[in-house]
Amino acid sequence: MPDSKYFSTTNRGELFELKQLLNSQSSRSKREALKQIIASMTIGKDVSSLFTDVLNCMQTVDLELKKLVYLYLISYAKTQPDLAILAVNTFVKDASDPNPLIRTLALRTMGCIQLTRISEYLCEPLRRALKDADPYVRKTAAICVAKLYEVDPALVSEYGFISTLKELVLDSSPMVVANAIAALGEIDESLPGTLELKPNLVSGLIQCLNDCSEWGQVFIIDAVASYMPSGTEEAESIIERLLPRLYHANAAVVLSSMKVIVKNLKYVKSAEFSRMIQKKLGAPLVTLVSAEPEVQYVALRNINLLVRKYPEILQNEFKAFFCKYNDPPYIKEEKLEILVRLANDDNAPKIISECKEYASEVDVGFVRSSVQAIGRIALKIESAANNSVETLLELVRTRVVYVVQESLVVMKDIMRKYPNEFEGAIPVLCENLEALDEPNARASLVWIIGEYADRIENVVELVESFLDNFRDESIQVQQQLLTCTIKVYLKCNGSCKSSLERILNDGMKNSDNADLRERAFFYSRLLQANKEMANSVVLARKPRIVSTHEDLDESLLNTLLDEMGSLASVFHRSPHVFLASSKPLPQVSIMEDEWNEENAQVLSHDILDLSLSDKPQLGDASEASNKTSVDELFESSSGTASTKKPKEQNNDLLSLIDDLFSPAQSSSSVDHGDDLQKRMKLLLPSSKARGLEISGAFSAEQGGIQYVLKLRNESNEIIGENAIQFNKNLLGLIPARSKLDVVRINPNESVVCKVDLRYVSSEKDSRKGLLFQMALKNDVCGVIYFGDKLDESNLNIFLESESTGKLTKQAFLQEWSKIGSSDEVVKQFNVPAGVSLPNYFIEKLYPLKVFHVASSPSGQSYFSARLVGEICVLLEFRWADKDSNVQLASRCNSAKELVKLFERLIEKALGK
Amino acid sequence: MLLSLFLINSSGEVIIEKSWKTEHTRRVCDLFWQEVLKVSSPEELAPLLHFPKFDIAHIYTCGIFLVSTVRNTLQSTSALELLHRLVDTFVDYFGEFNEHAIKENFVTVYEIIEEVLDHGFPFTVNIASLKELVPPPSLLSRMIGSVTGSSLSRKDMSEWNSHKRVSWRNPNIRYAHNEIFIDIIEEVSAILDSKGHCIHSGISGNIVVNCRLSGMPELSLHLNDSSLAKHSFVHPCVRYGRFIREGVVSFVPPDGVFQLLKYELWKAPYVPITLEPQYSVDKERKRGRLQLTLDIRGCGGKPCEEITVSIPFRNTMNVTNLNVTRGTVRYDSQLELCKWNLVNVDSARTLALTAELSSNQDKCLLPMSISCILVDFRIVGLALSNLSVHQLTVLNESYKPYKGLRRITKSGTYEIRPY
């Protein structure tokens, strides 16, 4: 009974029949029916109407039937959330079945049904499963945490699953360890800092590699890659312990280990050790070249990167990169590229002769690359130039048209790099004049003729033969001919004069091409003005060319080497390109320098106030929206930039307020919206951010802190894939999700979005002062740096309410002495006369969220305030009776700037 | 790390679909298929493709594309390796891998995918342990299933136990005849020039064990060359530390066929077969003559079981008077391919092929018309690296098993440059 029969049946009453089968008593008919249903699913037929009937089959002892039902559930639960909830009971029951297989199956399937309502019921079984006696269940549970996190991160933190996962990293079963690491790694992408490795843990992980499955090894090694060694010793030890992994059969294990080793090599001080390790890297790389073509491709792309940084490691193994006849084209191109990079004085002749072999292959594209490769080696290695030229001439003699043309282009570069060395080649090159039909090749030959005009006997004849068909040539050739003719004229004492006049005239009068026309005018005036000058301009020495191929930027190369094996490393493109599915932004530590520079600029550029707060123009919401659309119409037709600016900003703000009024945010009050509007400040004008204007402000809502961003797209492109990242800051606040929930911003559209912030202790850095450095990234502008800062207007948002903000006397004392007097800031100010102290303080400071702790009758009063991120500010007021002068001493367990900010605020509130 | 997996047949139809991220639906396949249509043959499509919203890793084999969308952060090689392993697994389960086999067993395919990839994370691909979780669709289980309506899997299930001393072996295995077969298989790859000199060569070797032993035997295998330890991959059952220190392969074997050791040598001690082409073209360059001299040397006196020489021609050629001193030769004008088959050729023999060539075009361009000469061969009884087994001892069990050793050398990519 082959299963394929299920694919063919398509009769009408099918669904009805299936229903009957599902409701039959025999589990065999049920199985048959389910197979049919799953087959229909696969060919894209909708079988969701059978959901209830399938659910009824779920409670069975027949494991095969159960598996089939689960397969169905995974696919359709999302479309039938109300019915899916009916499956929960069976799932929960199965999750405590004595058979570990069934427990696993239930847990795995439940995790796959990513519905919030199901997730609630998942937590309890998951909690048990994470502590299950059977490792198979535990490893499934570990992955299940990652699944749950995707649906409902709050539940994960509520149940403390992340810390349970961290415990599983120390599990006795290696497969559990590996899966726990994998799950932590995935959560780490949206919650950085989840997978934080400690030195002894790294050591333990490497220890357990031996017992892990190959995929487990990959997870663990990749995790170790994110660990930064404390010093040269630790780096050396990691390298040494990972060396045996380089001989693994699985290419992923090899490349991951290679990545860790290369990364750690940077921290190794001993040059000798480093050299010794580099020697050992060659062999495993060569082994990868004999893998399946697809895997080989990834390996070759990475080798390509590696040899740029460490060319020595493979120079002796260059033969391993010789192309085979049956290699797919993408492999051949890569091998060729690596061969060029590996070429040195010793092996160049062998590589050149190998390239010559390739030049006789069938694939025209590859043949061209091979010819170019010969040229590139000549440009790179001086001692190989002779050999290259000889080989190229041999190729030219084959008279295969595309080989000849490519060779000519390459010869031009070589003759430019080594002037006057290869003039012997010119006659051979000129022989093929008629065969050339590509503009690039023709232009190259014309350039050569012009350059060597005085060494070619029949140069006039040659030039004339080109000039006869001057008008039929492509622009590129025409321009080159113009220059060539004038070179001939200057070099050969006025020969070709009549031709030159003709062609200059032709160029000036008859050409449609502005470049050609200008060039002709330029030359003709130059000649009229001064022949000597013409000589020095036209026949000037040319700058030397180094290579015809672009090289990767050094910092990009380093970044890519750190990510060996990733897609970025294969495409040789910055990891940001793969934003959608990768870590949102580069690690802050790498960008430290950039931050400082860029931000200095941004912040010195005074944070502009929109100064609209004075004249709130709250109109009717519907009117506002009408206005917007009318305005937009108007804009698109007139496009007068100068008049539209202020209007638009108004509209934006109106729409923003509109936004805040909308039912979804009903909790926010009118005042709040107004307040937010006032506080929104322009952070970066569009001219500095590649067409994106950024404004923003902090806000507090529903017990959380958000950053409200207004993005206005002033470019012509649709901006998508927006993501934001914060640098370390005083309060340790970073976006909860780096991806903005704005899908895309159309040109001339502005959007407001909220970024939920959360506190992460590792992101706290009091050295950053009051600055919040932020980076926004999207697919059009790349990475943009900007910043906001903590000031009087937004400090209130970060202050905790009375329940936490008010310290007990004891806690206050403890904290006060812990900070110590060295960090105390003292200030004097006057209070209005006649107020009763300390009640005046308590009253005035309460709205500022600075709370009274205690007072003593002798004229002392103590206050405390707390900020997000476990920062507390302690204040001591001292005054003498009947005196309006008050001394304020403040202590804070964070930056001094913060204390000063507090003082200003308090002085403002209390002072006269 | 894998976000979705699709199996697509050669006409673009999705046969199997599995997605771990909602947004990665069949639409992915449509975009992928547009790329497939751009290349002349499926093998030419680069294995990794970047699209604005997602990235694809794929392999193509036996008329099936295995396509998956992947995350950047993880090893792209693991995705590609995994796809290859999946194919291996399917071959092991169904005996073959093609559209028919998948459709025939699609439920098992889904079950395997569920088991191997949880949430897109690869897990077990060890076929022995996989088979305990997903029973292969054997004829027997089908018959029982159709007669009694129950499945065998339930029985297997009750025995399933993840606390076994070694996860890869069930201690209750019993055989009437205890046997163990060890195959040393070496694949020689080489590029030779037209004079028979070796430009580049290498050996990738495999030790494959077919274990049919009862109970929990403890084996130790002594090889004659322990220097291999440095550059080899071993099966997880091998005690790695001891292997590195002493060069002794000691292990508790899984049941059935498995790959014990894989090693790589970058230079073959010698190349067993050389081919020297010679050409002559008459004055008018109308007709040409090709003579190929094939030499077999070394091989420790073992005969070559089979040799196939393939000569792909570049331009349409008229091949006449095709003669060989031994074997059969055919010219397929459709494929423009000349094939020379030989069986059981003794070592130290010289054989020849001659052919007269003329071109439909005006000139006969020899040797340019030949792009390459490829050789496939198989020599039984020889390991080119001279690797052999010194001793194989069985501890822990009282029986004396039958031990068989076989050595095979065959060709990997073995090609001769025509000029």
Side-chain angles (χ1 to χ4, degrees), chain A residues 611-636:
Chain A
S611 70
L612 280 163
S613 46
D614 310 343
K615 32 175 180 171
Q617 302 182 347
L618 279 171
D620 186 321
S622 64
E623 193 190 311
S625 62
N626 278 339
K627 213 162 135 195
T628 318
S629 55
V630 172
D631 269 13
E632 259 166 17
L633 278 174
F634 176 69
E635 270 161 31
S636 58

Side-chain angles (χ1 to χ4, degrees), chain A residues 333 336 364-374 406:
Chain A
E333 291 283 351
L336 193 62
V364 178
F366 182 57
V367 170
R368 285 179 186 274
S369 308
S370 311
V371 175
Q372 283 166 15
I374 298 176
E406 201 62 50

Side-chain angles (χ1 to χ4, degrees), chain A residues 363-588:
Chain A
D363 178 358
V364 178
F366 182 57
V367 170
R368 285 179 186 274
S369 308
S370 311
V371 175
Q372 283 166 15
I374 298 176
R376 286 169 63 196
I377 294 173
L379 295 184
K380 185 178 150 194
I381 298 156
E382 213 168 322
S383 66
N386 236 324
N387 197 329
S388 299
V389 171
E390 272 167 33
T391 311
L392 285 170
L393 291 181
E394 272 178 58
L395 290 175
V396 170
R397 288 196 193 96
T398 60
R399 293 181 179 265
V400 179
V401 182
Y402 51 85
V403 177
V404 173
Q405 310 217 51
E406 201 62 50
S407 304
L408 258 170
V409 177
V410 168
M411 273 308 290
K412 170 208 63 182
D413 290 332
I414 299 179
M415 291 174 97
R416 178 155 178 198
K417 163 120 190 203
Y418 307 105
N420 301 328
E421 274 185 48
F422 300 110
E423 37 195 273
I426 298 169
V428 185
L429 300 180
C430 291
E431 274 168 29
N432 293 284
L433 203 140
E434 294 84 29
L436 308 178
D437 54 6
E438 287 167 22
N440 207 358
R442 284 181 82 85
S444 299
L445 183 60
V446 172
W447 183 87
I448 294 173
I449 293 173
E451 203 59 25
Y452 290 85
D454 46 344
R455 319 283 172 87
I456 304 172
E457 280 176 25
N458 56 346
V459 63
V460 181
E461 209 176 298
L462 276 173
V463 175
E464 300 273 333
S465 71
F466 270 106
L467 291 179
D468 288 343
N469 302 317
F470 181 71
R471 289 196 194 167
D472 301 333
E473 299 283 2
S474 66
I475 290 297
Q476 189 190 2
V477 182
Q478 284 181 352
Q479 291 189 353
Q480 210 46 260
L481 262 175
L482 197 62
T483 313
C484 170
T485 318
I486 193 167
K487 278 182 186 165
V488 174
Y489 171 76
L490 292 174
K491 280 190 171 176
C492 307
N493 302 321
S495 50
C496 260
K497 186 162 187 235
S498 59
S499 309
L500 181 63
E501 277 164 5
R502 200 178 76 226
I503 182 180
L504 283 176
N505 260 321
D506 205 25
M508 288 189 289
K509 287 178 188 152
N510 301 331
S511 175
D512 299 335
N513 183 282
D515 280 347
L516 185 71
R517 222 164 42 230
E518 292 299 312
R519 199 184 275 226
F521 271 116
F522 170 73
Y523 280 144
S524 93
R525 299 217 172 117
L526 192 65
L527 285 174
Q528 278 164 14
N530 185 342
K531 204 176 162 189
E532 282 307 306
M533 172 122 43
N535 248 326
S536 61
V537 170
V538 177
L539 305 179
R541 277 178 71 99
K542 288 159 207 67
R544 285 196 113 187
I545 51 171
V546 184
S547 161
T548 51
H549 265 242
E550 273 179 51
D551 248 328
L552 284 178
D553 173 60
E554 175 82 23
S555 69
L556 178 59
L557 176 61
N558 283 330
T559 316
L560 293 181
L561 280 177
D562 283 349
E563 304 225 353
M564 266 170 88
S566 70
L567 291 170
S569 77
V570 173
F571 293 115
H572 292 187
R573 292 173 74 177
S574 152
H576 307 167
V577 179
F578 306 91
L579 182 73
S581 52
S582 73
K583 290 196 181 180
L585 288 168
Q587 291 297 307
V588 173

Side-chain angles (χ1 to χ4, degrees), chain A residues 192-218:
Chain A
T194 312
L195 183 62
E196 220 174 317
L197 296 181
K198 303 246 162 20
N200 51 350
L201 183 59
V202 170
S203 173
L205 284 176
I206 297 179
Q207 188 79 42
C208 91
L209 277 179
N210 258 345
D211 304 318
C212 277
S213 79
E214 46 193 330
W215 312 112
Q217 297 192 17
V218 177

